[in-house]
Amino acid sequence: MIVNTGQFPDVDEAQDFSYVLPSTPTSSHSPSKDYVYPVQCFFTLPDPHSGLAMLSATPNFDLCKGSGLSTEQQTVISGSQITQIYNCRVIRGHALDFDEVWFQNGRIINPALLYGLRGPDVRIDAQGLIVAPGLVDVQLNGAFGYDFSFNLDDIDKCLNAVSRGILLQGCTSFCPTVVSSTSKTYHTVLPHIGRRPGSLRNGAESLGAHVEGPFMNPKKKGAHEQACLRAAPNGLADFDECYGLDNLREHVCYMTLAPELDGVLSAIPNLINQCGIVVSQGHSAASHETALQAHRSGANMITHLFNAMTSFHHRDPGIVGLLGGAENNYSTKHKPNNSLYDSDASLSSRAFYGLICDGIHVHSNAVKIAYNSHPAGAILVTDAMGAMGLPDGQYKLGNMTVDVGPLADMKDNTRAAVIQGTSTLAGSIITLIECVRKFKEFTQCSLVEAIEAATLHPAQMLGVEHRKGTLEYGADADIIFLTDDLQVERVFVRGELATPETVGN
């Protein structure tokens, strides 16, 4: 409500009229010009001591049209409940500063649009905590006893259980990952794990599936079933037979493949341009020259860097050598149709790379080397499998049986997942916020850089940075509260508070 004792027209009853509200900015969010706002006015009785009458003026949202307000302002001020998060340090614009976050209808809004017109309906005191975007995990095979490649008969229950569980950990969006499988498995599973909005009922948002295989090199298969692996001598037709091109277009956001396999390299531009997916190199023995060709063709991601690929060599650095950057004549002919490539050429000329930062898959110094080479490309992934969130025992990763327990050669009894009867790592059991903590510890990077490696960077890789991985105006209100030692205190999905009592209902 606006209360003012300035010069108003003479009125003796409620009237609607316009009043020029001068621009007296009180924060960086305030407008920089005078606006004419429609208000409804009421006189009070004269004060017995001063003899002055008070006039109360409240915005009349029904009169907003034609008042000089922008369409965006009219929408916001006449819309539903507005929430303000205050007394916090906000990660925005690559910095951590004292600020506020306002949201409405599940989206971050600019409070300058409300100046002098409307305040928040709900105020949340963050008590000095860090307010950050919700985490984004682009490689998650399963969790809580479920596996996206194995639970074919109850895949909807699988998606719900995983989505709801990781939401409570601070991960508000993710890519359900399917490991190398049969064509029948992909056709069965993909329609069920594709894009789905985040909510208290659904849990974390599915940004679309990640198909990791089966177009990968048997020499670098890792924990993938060799019988499922294949090449693509018929080009795009083989990808169609394997997944179905309609499934790729509608339900998949990115694909991991080995570019050195027959027919794969030449298919990359078609996969990007015809299916609209991101292509990542991984499970590959590609030479550096082949990796560069794939990168020039638009493959702008590396799946779990250092793992399941040729080791770095000073004469032929392989895929790892992409950390050094591309040549100055980097081709822009074949690129996914997303905003990343249109808005930031400096990013588009460097490959993003995933890191399983659990202290087992990649040595801490290797993590640091990668980060120092290309900090803006680091994407933290869990590559978690069905045992994440559960005790030691036997679990499934696709059709492979996995043993979870302490590693014999680790001094601190670190738990890991390995293919039964072998020492081959089979995904991880770490949470994404744990990866963030370890990444900060290993690299000694700033808190903002550590968090952006699990928020902004994966969103940029997928081309959804306008709504995920950020707290910029217009983005989804996927928000987490963090302590200084990166413990998750609160989680919001689309502006709704997620708790064990509310999630799934």
Side-chain angles (χ1 to χ4, degrees):
M1 178 173 289
I2 306 166
V3 179
N4 201 305
T5 55
Q7 298 298 314
F8 288 90
D10 292 331
V11 293
D12 56 8
E13 60 182 14
Q15 291 188 14
D16 293 324
F17 65 95
S18 294
Y19 169 61
V20 177
L21 180 70
S23 62
T24 54
T26 57
S27 74
S28 60
H29 301 302
S30 300
S32 57
K33 57 177 284 189
D34 290 352
Y35 286 94
V36 177
Y37 296 127
V39 293
Q40 190 172 60
C41 300
F42 300 90
F43 267 119
T44 64
L45 294 174
D47 181 86
H49 300 289
S50 66
L52 294 176
M54 296 293 291
L55 183 143
S56 299
T58 60
N60 188 328
F61 301 137
D62 292 333
L63 298 179
C64 285
K65 188 174 181 179
S67 64
L69 300 179
S70 69
T71 301
E72 184 179 12
Q73 283 179 300
Q74 293 176 37
T75 300
V76 171
I77 65 174
S78 61
S80 61
Q81 176 178 288
I82 293 174
T83 301
Q84 172 199 29
I85 300 173
Y86 69 100
N87 186 20
C88 54
R89 292 163 291 157
V90 178
I91 294 181
R92 187 184 276 143
H94 309 296
L96 179 65
D97 294 311
F98 280 98
D99 205 341
E100 297 175 352
V101 176
W102 295 53
F103 58 85
Q104 180 187 51
N105 295 327
R107 301 279 178 145
I108 308 293
I109 62 171
N110 181 355
L113 300 174
L114 306 170
Y115 177 64
L117 283 172
R118 180 178 176 183
D121 302 292
V122 177
R123 303 185 74 231
I124 299 174
D125 185 350
Q127 299 181 330
L129 291 171
I130 296 163
V131 174
L135 305 180
V136 181
D137 192 350
V138 298
Q139 187 169 2
L140 183 69
N141 306 292
F144 314 112
Y146 290 94
D147 180 87
F148 295 117
S149 309
F150 179 75
N151 294 101
L152 307 187
D153 294 333
D154 55 355
I155 190 63
D156 293 326
K157 183 178 180 181
C158 171
L159 180 64
N160 286 336
V162 174
S163 300
R164 294 166 183 172
I166 63 172
L167 177 62
L168 293 172
Q169 298 171 345
C171 181
T172 56
S173 52
F174 73 114
C175 298
T177 298
V178 183
V179 298
S180 296
S181 303
T182 64
S183 177
K184 180 181 178 181
T185 295
Y186 291 117
H187 282 78
T188 299
V189 170
L190 291 179
H192 293 269
I193 64 171
R195 297 171 181 86
R196 186 176 80 162
S199 67
L200 291 181
R201 180 169 181 78
N202 290 344
E205 177 164 342
S206 170
L207 298 170
H210 165 214
V211 285
E212 187 185 8
F215 297 91
M216 55 179 52
N217 195 316
K219 296 179 181 179
K220 298 296 179 182
K221 63 183 178 63
H224 291 245
E225 190 175 5
Q226 184 157 341
C228 294
L229 305 187
R230 59 188 295 180
N234 302 305
L236 195 64
D238 285 320
F239 290 89
D240 186 18
E241 189 277 328
C242 180
Y243 311 109
L245 294 186
D246 285 342
N247 278 331
L248 292 180
R249 294 185 185 104
E250 296 173 18
H251 308 303
V252 173
C253 60
Y254 84 108
M255 174 191 298
T256 294
L257 47 71
E260 72 274 18
L261 298 181
D262 185 20
V264 169
L265 182 62
S266 60
I268 291 175
N270 288 329
L271 288 168
I272 295 170
N273 296 330
Q274 294 188 32
C275 300
I277 63 173
V278 173
V279 173
S280 180
Q281 302 186 59
H283 287 274
S284 167
S287 67
H288 185 57
E289 180 57 35
T290 299
L292 275 175
Q293 289 181 39
H295 185 57
R296 294 188 199 109
S297 297
N300 206 42
M301 172 68 176
I302 303 170
T303 296
H304 45 51
L305 182 71
F306 300 120
N307 297 116
M309 62 185 60
T310 305
S311 298
F312 179 88
H313 189 279
H314 59 284
R315 292 195 182 94
D316 187 348
I319 292 176
V320 178
L322 294 177
L323 288 177
E327 303 98 323
N328 291 332
N329 63 345
Y330 175 76
S331 171
T332 59
K333 184 177 180 181
H334 304 296
K335 292 179 179 177
N337 183 22
N338 61 46
S339 59
L340 167 64
Y341 295 97
D342 298 330
S343 63
D344 198 330
S346 65
L347 282 178
S348 67
S349 64
R350 305 288 298 274
F352 289 99
Y353 56 93
L355 283 171
I356 308 172
C357 205
D358 61 354
I360 301 170
H361 279 78
V362 184
H363 191 280
S364 58
N365 281 344
V367 172
K368 192 170 185 177
I369 287 170
Y371 163 75
N372 286 337
S373 297
H374 182 24
I379 294 177
L380 301 181
V381 300
T382 61
D383 196 17
M385 46 82 64
M388 192 263 275
L390 297 177
D392 295 349
Q394 287 190 345
Y395 299 88
K396 284 290 187 177
L397 179 62
N399 292 322
M400 311 288 280
T401 300
V402 176
D403 290 329
V404 174
L407 281 178
D409 57 349
M410 298 291 284
K411 296 179 180 179
D412 57 357
N413 290 321
T414 298
R415 299 171 67 233
V418 297
I419 295 296
Q420 186 179 37
T422 75
S423 59
T424 301
L425 292 172
S428 83
I429 51 176
I430 196 169
T431 65
L432 192 51
I433 191 61
E434 289 177 300
C435 288
V436 175
R437 290 195 291 265
K438 287 184 179 291
F439 183 71
K440 185 175 184 299
E441 174 191 348
F442 293 167
T443 64
Q444 296 300 298
C445 68
S446 70
L447 186 145
V448 171
E449 290 172 307
I451 293 172
E452 287 189 341
T455 54
L456 179 63
H457 297 174
Q460 289 174 326
M461 185 271 288
L462 295 176
V464 295
E465 71 274 21
H466 60 288
R467 66 184 187 91
K468 298 294 182 183
T470 179
L471 295 180
E472 295 296 336
Y473 307 138
D476 292 342
D478 295 342
I479 301 166
I480 56 176
F481 289 9
L482 298 169
T483 61
D484 284 356
D485 58 353
L486 296 172
Q487 301 292 330
V488 177
E489 292 291 317
R490 283 197 195 184
V491 182
F492 296 83
V493 58
R494 296 290 181 98
E496 295 183 293
L497 179 64
T499 68
E501 295 73 31
T502 61
V503 172
N505 298 318

